[in-house]
Each structure stands twice: as structure tokens, then as C-alpha cells.
Amino acid sequence: MSGHRSELLVEKIALAERILQKYGAELVGTSRELETFGYADGSFFQEEVEKRLWKRGADYIRVDKMFFSRGPFIVLEFSDRPEGPYEDADPFPCDLPDDELEAEIRFDLGLDPA
């Protein structure tokens, strides 16, 4: 992934976390897990990542990233327990304008109807 796209992804994850706070989520800790990333040629690598853990109402939420051929996406993960398991909401492209990213998060939080 290019440096520009990597920086954009980091910025959009931070924005997503600020939006979660805007709608009442509180930072309650972090979690570490081993993620596997695959390449189109079938090879892969693993990396230990730390994710911030947010709580809003009864939900625990993490902001994560996914990589598709179209580029990096952001996805919210939800669980009713801090240790998981976590269910992914629908991912959205990380290059969305900020207002569209907020609309996606509002939808995932159940604040806007389908």
C-alpha cells in the first residue's frame, strides 16, 4: 500500500473513532490480535495489531480495516462482550468524503434508518 493511502487510512480510522465519540461511545481499552493479510498472488503475511475498544450502550465496537482490490476499506466490528466474538458491519471505502463516512457510521450505529 502506498504511503499516501496508508496515511489516509490512519486519518480515516481516527476520524471514525471521533465520530463514535460524538455519538456517545467511550474508550474502554484496547485489544490485540493477529491479523492475516493476503496478496493477489496467494501469499500472505501476519501482523499483530492493537485496536481501540469503544463502548456505546450495550455494544463494544472496534474500528478495523479491510483490503480489497478497490483499495482499503473501513469496517466497524460489534460485540456484546469486550473479548468478542466480533461481527463486522458492511465495510465502506476509506476515501469517502468525511460527511459520507459519518453517514455510514450513523447507519451502522442504528441512528439512521435503512
Side-chain angles (χ1 to χ4, degrees):
M1 181 163 46
S2 74
H4 170 71
R5 285 175 43 175
S6 178
E7 289 174 23
L8 176 64
L9 184 58
V10 168
E11 290 172 14
K12 291 296 184 159
I13 288 173
L15 174 60
E17 290 180 335
R18 288 193 304 274
I19 293 169
L20 286 175
Q21 286 180 293
K22 177 180 176 179
Y23 294 109
E26 296 181 13
L27 182 63
V28 294
T30 59
S31 64
R32 297 187 74 75
E33 65 181 42
L34 193 61
E35 287 191 346
T36 302
F37 298 95
Y39 295 105
D41 68 3
S43 64
F44 67 93
F45 73 95
Q46 292 184 316
E47 173 180 75
E48 187 175 51
V49 296
E50 184 174 85
K51 299 177 186 177
R52 291 183 182 157
L53 184 59
W54 301 87
K55 188 163 189 331
R56 182 178 178 275
D59 292 323
Y60 289 90
I61 308 166
R62 301 185 307 190
V63 180
D64 200 5
K65 60 194 173 297
M66 300 178 93
F67 298 97
F68 296 105
S69 59
R70 279 190 45 213
F73 280 61
I74 292 179
V75 62
L76 298 185
E77 302 173 325
F78 292 86
S79 180
D80 58 357
R81 298 187 321 246
E83 66 277 4
Y86 282 84
E87 300 263 335
D88 292 346
D90 289 334
F92 42 90
C94 84
D95 61 356
L96 287 177
D98 293 355
D99 61 329
E100 291 182 35
L101 184 124
E102 183 167 352
E104 291 283 351
I105 291 171
R106 286 182 55 85
F107 178 77
D108 287 349
L109 294 175
L111 299 172
D112 289 335

